Amino acid sequence: MLPVKQTVAPVSYAAMDSAMGTTTRAAVRDDRLQRFAAIWSRAVHPTVTAAVSRAEFERSLVPLAGVLRDALHARPFDPRPAHDVGAALVGAHCTDPAALPLILGVIDAYLVLYLPPEQPMPAEESRARCSRLQHAVAAGFARALGERTRAEQQALTGAARAAQAEAERALHASETGFRAVFEKSPVGVGIADTEGRILDVNEALVRMFGSPEGTRATGRNAGEFVHPEDAPEFWTLYRELVRGDRDHYRIEKPYYRSDGTVLWTEMSVTLLRDAAGQPQYQLAIMEDITERRRLHERLRYQATHDPLTELPNRTLFFERLDGALRPPPEAGTPGRFGLCYLDLDGFKAVNDSLGHTVGDRLLVAVADRLRACAASPRELVARLGGDEFVALVHDPAPGEAPALARRMLTALADPVRLDDRDLSVRASIGVVEGAAGELEAAEVLRSADITMYRAKAAGGNRYELADADSDARVIVRHGLTTRLPAALDNGEFFIEYQPLVRLDDGTVRGAEALVRWLHPVHGVLGPDRFIPLAESTGLIVPLGRWVLEQAVRQARAWHAADHPFRVNVNLSPSQLRHPALVADTVAVLAGAGLDPSALCLEVTENALIGADEAELRPLRQLADLGVDIALDDFGTGYSNLSYLRRLPVSTLKLDRSFTRGMQCAPADPVDVKIVEGIVSLAHTLDLSVTVEGVETGTQADHLRLLGCDTAQGWYYARPGPPDRLHALSLADAATCPAGAPPAAS
């Protein structure tokens, strides 16, 4: 929507507010309302249909501007008061459809500028609120205008019905009286026999059709007045009436005027019977609703099209999608549908760097190119909002929807030139195809959205086809994410412990605490299923503290039972960055009465790669308190051993990928050399080495001979409850190829 031309110089209201007292700020706010109302009045007053001076009209706009200001600033935000503003404008005689774009244009251009929020609010949020207020004003305006139109229509209809009743009474009572009513009626009246021959029409009907004075339709047959937009049921109603099967019908019908233009009428036809009750005449009363029809079409267009790109909007798209998914019974076969969901890659960077005006112009250019891709009447391109577009194909041939996606990507391949600047456009598209009747509209759009994000994850500027398994995984992932907060509150998490065994004597040194989720639907879930979700939502901090509390409490219980086991607890990157990490750890240890040396915190190598001194400070503080720090998954990052000297770690946990070649004899000589070198360097740096994923006795023997200090894995024990920590199975969990030597016992 184009903003109304600015006539008042903008001022820095935020700067003024910061320097004024309460009384002065109130005066400034009132002045802003007056200035906004003045701009609004100048723009809209020429469309007011009543004799109201501009000054009076401006005064009526001041409280409406106040409503919009309060709605813009409200917390929480609620756009509903703007509906009343739209209705109030209709009540103020802004009934010309041309007034609505002017009304919305002023709100779009000046509401945030002249009536900014008193409390700090991001520019994106204030613009989004302003946009939603515009939609609410438009909805209220359209509804009030529709109600006003219906009221006027009812008044005309009442007059028409009164004329009809009077005409019927006059026809039976007096030909003279009937002629008087017939000729003087303000609505069109026509009389025909049951064969359809037109016997007489009044002057109002002649003027309605635009015929020259004196020219009548008398003598012609009503069946000749056919129009391509006739309602399917019209001629059925007509035949039923002339047969005497019905006495009345009412319908909207178009006609051609004498100059070729279209006349829309609301027509009420009544069957007049003779004294014996036999059908004798048809009495038609018609009123001109052409302007009302045009107004309805304009309002319908505004309600179903995006004002920026003029593409169909979300409302019209869902109407068409529902039609494609639920075809009428008379269509026979259910048919098929194809949908392409497109989202621009990196569009936010355009708005952030070049401004929303350039962003809007880019969206218009993109819309023009996408519109050109829909060459068939069966194809519809719409804008859902922001930088999201969608294309719908009715009854596509095999491969037609993917072909449309390729055309869309090709259309966007060339840069868009704006203000001597070439802007590259990339897009990701999710394509969904299927048979009508199988899915609801919301399910189709969800699948397309999921598929589109798969295209983005694959690098963007491409399309992907929907896949039921991928959709299911994303839906399950979303369900787990939304349930995580309640799961922690409901006590659905528990901890299992896997022993850490000394390789030199086979005794238990400690245990690693491994959190599990007992999901009410999916059963027991390992950390790989939910820790990344907790990390992305921020729940990892309270979940991590809970795990630390439980593990430290268990370690204290072991110590009390004369089992001085050390407990290892994993720390995620988000926990490392949390400012209360050190204080929380100290508080948990103090609360349980556990010595810090009985706790080891495991940090993945990737979390520490490139960490500066400020990021390492919390780990140094914990190490100074006596807490051991283990570098987990060692070897999966840069494997740059030189940086170990500056890290506050005491243990390396070697990733299992380095020792798989030792599960059976003979061991992989490359793996042996690598592990030997890592162990030698670690011991030189006074670091102990723990190996993960030990699954066979042969593997354990190799690692013991290479000098590794401790190990954990299914050869010793699977994770389990704390009371089984010392019960080692010492059974191979991996199978060696035929002919390989047996594992050590």
Side-chain angles (χ1 to χ4, degrees):
M1 178 179 300
L2 295 177
V4 179
K5 182 178 179 182
Q6 182 175 341
T7 56
V8 180
V11 294
S12 178
Y13 292 123
M16 293 174 59
D17 280 351
S18 64
M20 295 182 178
T22 302
T23 303
T24 306
R25 282 197 298 270
V28 170
R29 287 196 297 269
D30 291 342
D31 180 65
R32 296 177 193 169
L33 278 179
Q34 293 291 341
R35 291 163 66 86
F36 180 85
I39 296 173
W40 214 3
S41 174
R42 280 196 292 273
V44 180
H45 182 263
T47 65
V48 174
T49 56
V52 179
S53 70
R54 201 179 84 183
E56 294 174 323
F57 183 65
E58 181 177 325
R59 284 194 294 272
S60 70
L61 293 181
V62 173
L64 302 185
V67 172
L68 293 179
R69 175 197 62 192
D70 296 341
L72 178 66
H73 304 170
R75 295 182 183 276
F77 176 65
D78 183 359
R80 286 177 293 182
H83 283 79
D84 298 334
V85 173
L89 289 166
V90 173
H93 305 289
C94 295
T95 56
D96 188 336
L100 183 57
L102 301 176
I103 293 168
L104 300 181
V106 172
I107 296 174
D108 181 65
Y110 296 101
L111 180 62
V112 176
L113 179 64
Y114 281 91
L115 304 174
E118 296 179 7
Q119 299 298 325
M121 180 184 299
E124 289 286 344
E125 182 179 352
S126 63
R127 294 303 307 168
R129 288 187 173 198
C130 181
S131 178
R132 292 184 62 187
L133 290 175
Q134 293 176 63
H135 286 297
V137 169
F141 182 92
R143 181 173 181 179
L145 190 57
E147 291 173 350
R148 183 187 184 104
T149 302
R150 284 193 293 273
E152 294 172 351
Q153 173 188 347
Q154 289 172 357
L156 285 173
T157 301
R161 288 177 176 171
Q164 175 183 334
E166 183 64 21
E168 291 182 8
R169 287 193 296 270
L171 182 62
H172 289 292
S174 169
E175 177 67 20
T176 303
F178 168 74
R179 295 305 303 180
V181 173
F182 180 81
E183 295 295 344
K184 295 179 181 179
S185 174
V187 295
V189 182
I191 301 174
D193 62 19
T194 55
E195 299 297 325
R197 288 188 299 271
I198 300 174
L199 304 177
D200 202 359
V201 296
N202 68 354
E203 290 294 332
L205 190 61
V206 173
R207 291 192 300 271
M208 190 183 301
F209 274 80
S211 300
E213 185 63 30
T215 300
R216 305 276 182 149
T218 306
R220 298 181 64 183
N221 193 287
E224 300 175 23
F225 295 91
V226 178
H227 191 278
E229 295 186 56
D230 282 337
E233 68 272 19
F234 170 71
W235 294 106
T236 300
L237 295 173
Y238 173 79
R239 287 188 291 270
E240 290 176 352
L241 184 129
V242 297
R243 287 198 309 263
D245 295 340
R246 68 166 53 242
D247 290 325
H248 176 82
Y249 67 84
R250 186 183 186 89
I251 199 167
E252 290 186 4
K253 177 172 172 29
Y255 290 93
Y256 286 113
R257 289 193 177 99
S258 58
D259 60 1
T261 60
V262 177
L263 164 71
W264 275 93
T265 67
E266 185 165 15
M267 181 167 63
S268 178
V269 183
T270 301
L271 179 66
L272 302 180
R273 301 177 184 268
D274 60 17
Q278 295 300 312
Q280 188 174 17
Y281 300 107
Q282 302 177 65
L283 176 66
I285 298 178
M286 305 162 66
E287 61 175 294
D288 184 351
I289 62 168
T290 304
E291 288 303 318
R292 189 179 79 199
R293 183 87 180 193
R294 289 174 181 168
L295 171 60
H296 173 77
E297 291 174 351
R298 286 196 294 268
L299 292 176
R300 165 73 178 168
Y301 184 88
Q302 292 176 0
T304 58
H305 284 74
D306 174 48
L308 177 65
T309 64
E310 297 188 359
L311 286 176
N313 64 7
R314 177 181 291 268
T315 300
L316 182 54
F317 163 71
F318 273 104
E319 288 181 6
R320 299 289 180 85
L321 180 59
D322 286 336
L325 298 179
R326 290 194 293 271
E330 60 269 19
T333 58
R336 295 184 61 79
F337 73 92
L339 187 145
C340 300
Y341 191 105
L342 180 148
D343 185 89
L344 298 183
D345 298 333
F347 178 73
K348 184 177 183 299
V350 176
N351 277 340
D352 292 345
S353 60
L354 302 179
H356 287 273
T357 300
V358 174
D360 286 349
R361 292 172 61 193
L362 179 60
L363 289 175
V364 171
V366 168
D368 291 340
R369 294 187 183 186
L370 297 181
R371 184 187 290 111
C373 295
S376 169
R378 297 180 293 105
E379 299 172 344
L380 171 77
V381 174
R383 182 190 179 203
L384 296 186
D387 59 337
E388 296 177 332
F389 299 84
V390 67
L392 176 66
V393 187
H394 287 261
D395 288 326
E400 188 173 352
L404 176 57
R406 288 192 292 270
R407 291 203 304 273
M408 296 166 77
L409 291 174
T410 301
L412 299 178
D414 293 333
V416 175
R417 188 158 187 81
L418 296 175
D419 298 332
D420 298 327
R421 180 188 293 111
D422 287 333
L423 300 180
S424 296
V425 180
R426 293 165 51 91
S428 298
I429 304 177
V431 180
V432 180
E433 294 181 291
E438 294 182 351
L439 297 173
E440 296 293 327
E443 295 174 302
V444 172
L445 205 64
R446 179 179 62 186
S447 178
D449 187 48
I450 291 172
T451 308
M452 180 270 293
Y453 276 106
R454 277 204 292 117
K456 280 189 181 294
N461 202 36
R462 58 184 292 148
Y463 74 89
E464 292 284 345
L465 300 179
D467 174 69
D469 291 339
S470 297
D471 289 359
R473 286 193 295 270
V474 172
I475 293 169
V476 169
R477 178 184 174 90
H478 176 72
L480 294 177
T481 302
T482 56
R483 185 173 173 81
L484 268 172
L488 186 58
D489 294 338
N490 296 339
E492 295 177 12
F493 293 99
F494 67 97
I495 297 177
E496 291 184 330
Y497 297 88
Q498 186 173 38
L500 290 159
V501 178
R502 290 188 179 93
L503 284 168
D504 57 356
D505 59 9
T507 60
V508 176
R509 167 74 173 83
E512 180 178 359
L514 300 169
V515 64
R516 305 287 190 255
W517 182 1
L518 182 57
H519 194 280
V521 175
H522 302 291
V524 177
L525 303 178
D528 59 312
R529 295 287 302 277
F530 61 86
I531 290 298
L533 306 182
E535 183 86 16
S536 65
T537 59
L539 190 69
I540 191 65
V541 172
L543 177 60
R545 181 185 172 92
W546 179 85
V547 172
L548 180 65
E549 290 173 346
Q550 300 301 311
V552 166
R553 188 176 295 119
Q554 180 57 56
R556 183 68 185 88
W558 283 328
H559 280 245
D562 202 24
H563 296 299
F565 297 146
R566 186 182 70 176
V567 66
N568 287 28
V569 177
N570 291 283
L571 286 184
S572 75
S574 293
Q575 290 175 276
L576 286 174
R577 293 190 294 269
H578 194 267
L581 171 63
V582 176
D584 284 350
T585 304
V586 171
V588 169
L589 289 170
L594 185 69
D595 189 90
S597 63
L599 173 65
C600 177
L601 298 178
E602 296 189 9
V603 184
T604 62
E605 180 184 21
N606 286 330
L608 295 185
I609 289 176
D612 58 24
E613 192 57 37
E615 294 169 318
L616 294 176
R617 186 176 298 116
L619 292 181
R620 294 195 189 282
Q621 293 173 343
L622 291 171
D624 291 341
L625 292 172
V627 175
D628 281 343
I629 308 297
L631 193 61
D632 197 11
D633 295 334
F634 181 76
T636 59
Y638 291 149
S639 299
N640 183 359
L641 303 181
S642 63
Y643 75 99
L644 290 175
R645 300 184 61 182
R646 70 183 190 91
L647 296 180
V649 299
S650 56
T651 302
L652 296 185
K653 290 197 73 174
L654 191 61
D655 186 71
R656 67 187 65 200
S657 61
F658 290 104
T659 65
R660 285 199 182 99
M662 302 180 191
Q663 289 181 350
C664 302
D668 186 323
V670 176
D671 285 353
V672 171
K673 286 296 183 182
I674 292 175
V675 174
E676 184 179 23
I678 293 175
V679 172
S680 175
L681 178 61
H683 287 169
T684 300
L685 296 174
D686 199 23
L687 303 176
S688 64
V689 177
T690 298
V691 182
E692 299 177 297
V694 177
E695 297 187 353
T696 69
T698 299
Q699 190 177 13
D701 286 343
H702 282 307
L703 295 171
R704 181 175 63 254
L705 293 174
L706 290 172
C708 296
D709 300 288
T710 54
Q712 66 184 96
W714 286 6
Y715 169 69
Y716 299 105
R718 295 172 183 262
D723 56 356
R724 291 170 47 194
L725 186 65
H726 59 279
L728 302 180
S729 62
L730 300 180
D732 287 350
T735 302
C736 291
S745 60

